[in-house]
Amino acid sequence: MKKYTSIGALLIDFRHFANMSQAELAAKFDVDIRTIIRWEKNETLLKADKEEEMVDITFIPYQVIRNLNAPVAIPTYYDFDVRRYSLSNISKELPDPNWIIDLHAETNRMRKIKYDSDVEEIIRYSKLLPHVVKPISKEIILKATELLPELNQIIFDTSGFYSGHNVFLPLSKRLYNKIRNRAITENDITVNDLINYKKQKKPVFYSYNMSSDCNENFFYLSASILDFLKQINRPYVYASYTSRNDTYHINSLMGVTIVWEDKELQKKLTVKHHHDLMKATMLFSINL
């Protein structure tokens, strides 16, 4: 993560990340280019209504914008690739997963996915992932939530802005084996491939993606997953195609093993991500 001490520096880096000119950003905000220049030079701050516009335009977490768009800015660490922030260098890395396993945390900021606006935010995030050619459809996400509401969750910040999500697909062992054997990709999954896991002798919980804008929200999302898995009283398969370093790291520490690595994609992309299918067959108490 990079440490930011002003809204201007954040805007400049966003434009570089999005390959956007000052004129193009001005058009997005519907302001004169001179306004963008003043913002980037920290000569003026954004008005309150422009803060909300900035969330929509840049997809930067609202808390990051609020911290930096102030007369006395709150220094904030932020990473555009993974859309995550931290208030200190100490808390920007994930802790040992054993701490998360024993975490029992609840918040009224998290609920199951149910609105079109929820899905729009999730798809918007998915488009940021370098390995996603085409995000899964709204219909798949909503069907997955209907079948597996415990693992399809969305979380918001205290101001009501999107902060992260879990999307899990309940798949048949047959379909998962096709993904495992690289006969198909997750982009080939359809609504008809989702099943009622309760009827499966050995259900497959396929983590399509997980997003959180800070470690606190990551803890809430992770706790909801682990609490659910603890209640599964039969063997199951947990699988994930990881593309974020933090997800790869946490899965590895929890004993989830690599099935195969996408070496070609790793060479093609310049960002520092892993692209691995990770899988574990377990009763909760065995590996976690």
Side-chain angles (χ1 to χ4, degrees):
M1 293 187 187
K2 178 178 176 179
K3 183 178 180 179
Y4 289 93
T5 58
S6 70
I7 195 71
L10 185 71
L11 278 169
I12 291 171
D13 280 4
F14 166 72
R15 285 199 300 102
H16 292 161
F17 175 77
N19 194 26
M20 187 179 294
S21 69
Q22 289 178 326
E24 289 171 328
L25 186 58
K28 293 281 187 181
F29 274 102
D30 192 24
V31 297
D32 189 278
I33 190 173
R34 289 172 294 184
T35 299
I36 300 296
I37 294 172
R38 287 195 295 270
W39 287 346
E40 291 188 353
K41 289 184 176 181
N42 296 303
E43 293 176 350
T44 59
L45 296 174
L46 282 70
K47 294 181 180 179
D49 61 326
K50 292 301 181 185
E51 286 184 346
E52 296 190 10
E53 282 189 39
M54 188 172 174
V55 175
D56 292 333
I57 292 168
T58 67
F59 206 41
I60 296 171
Y62 180 67
Q63 188 62 59
V64 176
I65 296 169
R66 288 293 299 119
N67 288 354
L68 298 174
N69 188 50
V72 180
I74 301 172
T76 303
Y77 291 81
Y78 185 64
D79 187 318
F80 282 94
D81 281 328
V82 297
R83 194 183 178 272
R84 179 169 287 180
Y85 73 89
S86 171
L87 295 182
S88 73
N89 191 48
I90 295 175
S91 65
K92 70 179 185 179
E93 302 298 337
L94 291 175
D96 188 306
N98 289 320
W99 187 85
I100 301 174
I101 289 171
D102 294 327
L103 177 69
H104 299 284
E106 296 182 358
T107 175
N108 58 10
R109 296 188 291 106
M110 186 169 69
R111 59 167 170 75
K112 77 173 185 178
I113 299 162
K114 60 181 178 180
Y115 300 116
D116 285 349
S117 58
D118 297 344
V119 180
E120 288 168 3
E121 296 285 22
I122 292 166
I123 291 176
R124 186 177 183 185
Y125 166 80
S126 299
K127 290 179 179 178
L128 297 177
L129 299 176
H131 75 279
V132 174
V133 178
K134 181 181 179 181
I136 58 175
S137 68
K138 176 179 74 173
E139 290 73 22
I140 292 177
I141 295 174
L142 292 176
K143 184 65 175 180
T145 302
E146 177 186 330
L147 293 169
L148 191 55
E150 302 91 342
L151 293 184
N152 286 279
Q153 303 280 325
I154 189 167
I155 191 167
F156 302 88
D157 65 19
T158 55
S159 298
F161 290 94
Y162 163 82
S163 292
H165 67 268
N166 289 327
V167 171
F168 274 76
L169 308 180
L171 303 179
S172 68
K173 188 69 179 298
R174 177 190 60 81
L175 187 71
Y176 166 70
N177 284 335
K178 285 187 176 182
I179 298 175
R180 178 184 175 128
N181 296 330
R182 309 192 76 171
I184 64 172
T185 70
E186 59 183 23
N187 292 322
D188 299 312
I189 297 172
T190 69
V191 171
N192 295 330
D193 293 319
L194 305 183
I195 62 169
N196 184 347
Y197 77 91
K198 295 179 181 179
K199 297 181 179 181
Q200 300 300 302
K201 183 178 180 180
K202 191 175 186 179
V204 177
F205 304 115
Y206 187 90
S207 176
Y208 175 71
N209 64 43
M210 176 179 177
S211 162
S212 61
D213 61 6
C214 64
N215 281 344
E216 179 183 358
N217 290 330
F218 176 84
F219 298 153
Y220 285 126
L221 291 167
S222 298
S224 71
I225 296 170
L226 296 176
D227 285 345
F228 172 77
L229 295 179
K230 288 176 184 177
Q231 300 174 33
I232 303 296
N233 58 3
R234 61 190 187 278
Y236 61 87
V237 172
Y238 168 93
S240 173
Y241 183 44
T242 66
S243 66
R244 286 176 54 148
N245 280 340
D246 52 355
T247 306
Y248 172 89
H249 177 66
I250 203 76
N251 278 335
S252 297
L253 291 175
M254 289 169 62
V256 183
T257 58
I258 296 176
V259 176
W260 47 256
E261 296 180 74
D262 197 333
K263 295 291 188 180
E264 293 184 4
L265 188 57
Q266 288 177 5
K267 291 179 181 179
K268 180 179 178 181
L269 299 170
T270 58
V271 293
K272 296 179 180 179
H273 291 281
H274 291 271
H275 296 84
D276 311 313
L277 181 67
M278 305 189 74
K279 170 255 189 181
T281 302
M282 65 188 78
L283 286 170
F284 185 86
S285 60
I286 294 176
N287 285 40
L288 298 183

